[in-house]
């Protein structure tokens, strides 16, 4: 039986997605993604030359301290990706480690995506692509085996939902000609102002356990649940802030010997919201560690999320 599809805007917010007992507010955002890489010079070449990140600051290795580089958008202080060097770290085998599958860089416009595609083609770098219905996406693999998605969102007025409130996803071919046409004669100048980390996607060992952590305890809505071996969860009706899949189930979790995700940041509006999320996670039996920047919670596969509160305006 074919499911009837509706315009996203035809359903009220409370009918979109599956809501947990206590849900995260709409105005959350993803912050810095912390990665371990085997060779910082090699990674910086890829992240700057190919992806267009700006190097915000770099710290050389010292005794007892790894070399680190912080990357973002030129003109903005926000750190989107932090690379920490671990010489000899094992590359990630395809679907061979539980942990991060990809991080997704969200560009502001379709024209920006077209400029990026032109740029990558000019470098001769292999580029995958897909139309996800709510977004148009490209995919690259970095030198350590991390997948990087670079995408743009369609307006929510163009999204579709089922009568049950499930946001509709797709794996259709990208209209690359249309995306390139949107770029016109413009050229890639690096990541444009307004670029963010749009979402993260994780390899997990079990979808029921993943939903228990990220949906029931942390508070994300389940936005899409009919995909094969995956759940997409988000806040505020977004198609997904996190992808959770079991496509590498049976593989070991990433270890300290591997290139890996060290942690990711989830920013919430205030300390009350942050502390409530940490309390829910702890009450559900998950490890929650206090740190000066905020509590860090660990999921069943060792993926660590740092809960951060937006600074409040001074009275």
């Amino acid at each position: 039986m074919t499911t009837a599809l509706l315009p996203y805007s035809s359903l009220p917010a409370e009918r979109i997605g599956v809501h947990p007992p206590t849900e995260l507010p709409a105005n959350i955002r993803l912050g810095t993604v912390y990665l371990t890489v085997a060779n910082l010079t090699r990674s910086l070449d890829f992240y700057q030359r190919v992806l267009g990140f700006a190097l915000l600051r770099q710290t050389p290795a010292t005794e007892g301290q790894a070399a680190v580089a912080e990357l973002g958008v030129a003109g903005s202080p926000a750190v989107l990706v932090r690379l920490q060097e671990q010489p000899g770290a094992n590359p990630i085998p395809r679907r061979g480690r539980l942990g991060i599958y990809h991080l997704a860089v969200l560009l502001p416009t379709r024209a920006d995506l077209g400029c990026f595609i032109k740029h990558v083609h000019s470098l001769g770098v292999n580029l995958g692509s897909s139309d996800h219905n709510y977004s148009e996406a490209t995919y690259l693999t970095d030198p350590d085996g991390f997948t990087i998605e670079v995408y743009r969102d369609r307006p929510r007025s163009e999204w579709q939902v089922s009568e049950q409130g499930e946001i509709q996803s797709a794996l259709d071919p990208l209209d690359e000609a249309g995306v390139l046409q949107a770029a016109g004669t413009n050229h890639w100048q690096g990541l444009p102002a307004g670029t963010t980390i749009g979402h993260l996607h994780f390899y997990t060992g079990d979808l029921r356990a993943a939903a228990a952590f990220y949906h029931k305890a942390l508070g994300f809505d389940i936005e899409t649940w009919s995909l094969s071996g995956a759940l997409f969860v988000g806040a505020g009706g977004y198609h997904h802030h996190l992808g959770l899949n079991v496509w590498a189930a049976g593989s070991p979790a990433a270890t300290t010997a591997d290139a890996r995700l060290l942690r990711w940041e989830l920013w919430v509006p205030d300390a009350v919201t942050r502390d409530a999320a940490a309390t829910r996670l702890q009450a559900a039996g998950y490890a929650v560690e206090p740190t000066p920047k905020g509590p860090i919670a660990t999921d069943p596969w060792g993926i660590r999320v740092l809960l951060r509160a937006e600074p409040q305006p001074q009275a």
Side-chain angles (χ1 to χ4, degrees):
M1 185 175 68
T2 303
T3 302
L5 298 183
L6 306 170
Y8 177 94
S9 55
S10 69
L11 290 185
E14 62 269 17
R15 283 195 55 201
I16 293 177
V18 177
H19 301 264
T22 304
E23 63 186 328
L24 290 169
N27 54 338
I28 61 110
R29 64 182 176 92
L30 305 188
T32 308
V33 179
Y34 298 71
L35 301 175
T36 291
V37 298
N39 184 301
L40 190 58
T41 300
R42 181 182 67 176
S43 292
L44 282 175
D45 175 69
F46 181 85
Y47 281 79
Q48 292 179 270
R49 182 175 60 88
V50 179
L51 295 175
F53 281 92
L55 178 61
L56 303 182
R57 64 190 63 85
Q58 185 172 355
T59 306
T62 59
E63 188 172 348
Q65 186 69 42
V68 168
E70 296 182 336
L71 303 166
V73 177
S76 169
V79 178
L80 300 183
V81 177
R82 183 182 186 272
L83 302 176
Q84 179 173 307
E85 186 176 56
Q86 182 178 315
N90 298 322
I92 302 168
R94 184 175 183 275
R95 296 192 177 185
R97 293 288 184 274
L98 301 182
I100 191 168
Y101 167 30
H102 67 241
L103 64 92
V105 178
L106 175 58
L107 302 179
T109 70
R110 195 184 201 207
D112 293 324
L113 184 62
C115 290
F116 176 72
I117 291 174
K118 285 196 290 185
H119 161 70
V120 173
H121 284 340
S122 74
L123 298 177
V125 174
N126 187 45
L127 185 69
S129 64
S130 188
D131 186 323
H132 294 308
N133 195 19
Y134 43 67
S135 68
E136 294 180 303
T138 61
Y139 297 89
L140 306 87
T141 304
D142 87 349
D144 290 278
F146 295 112
T147 300
I148 314 295
E149 176 179 345
V150 180
Y151 75 113
R152 75 99 184 183
D153 277 332
R154 287 192 170 91
R156 294 195 188 199
S157 60
E158 298 179 20
W159 298 5
Q160 294 179 304
V161 293
S162 70
E163 293 175 319
Q164 293 73 39
E166 180 178 21
I167 298 176
Q168 298 302 293
S169 182
L171 282 174
D172 296 331
L174 178 69
D175 175 17
E176 186 173 298
V179 177
L180 291 172
Q181 186 176 26
T185 59
N186 295 325
H187 295 285
W188 183 247
Q189 303 291 329
L191 293 176
T195 297
T196 62
I197 299 296
H199 65 267
L200 296 167
H201 198 147
F202 301 139
Y203 290 123
T204 72
D206 180 88
L207 287 185
R208 187 182 297 273
F213 182 93
Y214 291 101
H215 169 62
K216 188 174 181 181
L218 184 51
F220 280 107
D221 301 332
I222 299 177
E223 309 289 11
T224 302
W225 54 86
S226 295
L227 300 173
S228 177
L231 294 173
F232 283 0
V233 303
Y238 190 57
H239 54 74
H240 67 299
H241 287 101
L242 299 178
L244 310 167
N245 73 61
V246 289
W247 304 333
S251 299
T255 72
T256 55
D258 299 314
R260 64 196 184 280
L261 174 69
L262 292 172
R263 62 180 180 269
W264 62 282
E265 290 181 347
L266 175 62
W267 285 81
V268 298
D270 50 57
V272 172
T273 305
R274 177 200 64 196
D275 295 345
T279 298
R280 291 195 303 272
L281 287 160
Q282 201 157 30
Y286 301 107
V288 178
E289 170 194 354
T291 78
K293 291 184 175 181
I296 294 179
T298 304
D299 83 356
W301 306 280
I303 300 169
R304 290 155 54 84
V305 52
L306 171 59
L307 302 174
R308 303 206 65 178
E310 299 284 3
Q312 300 302 299
Q314 298 296 318

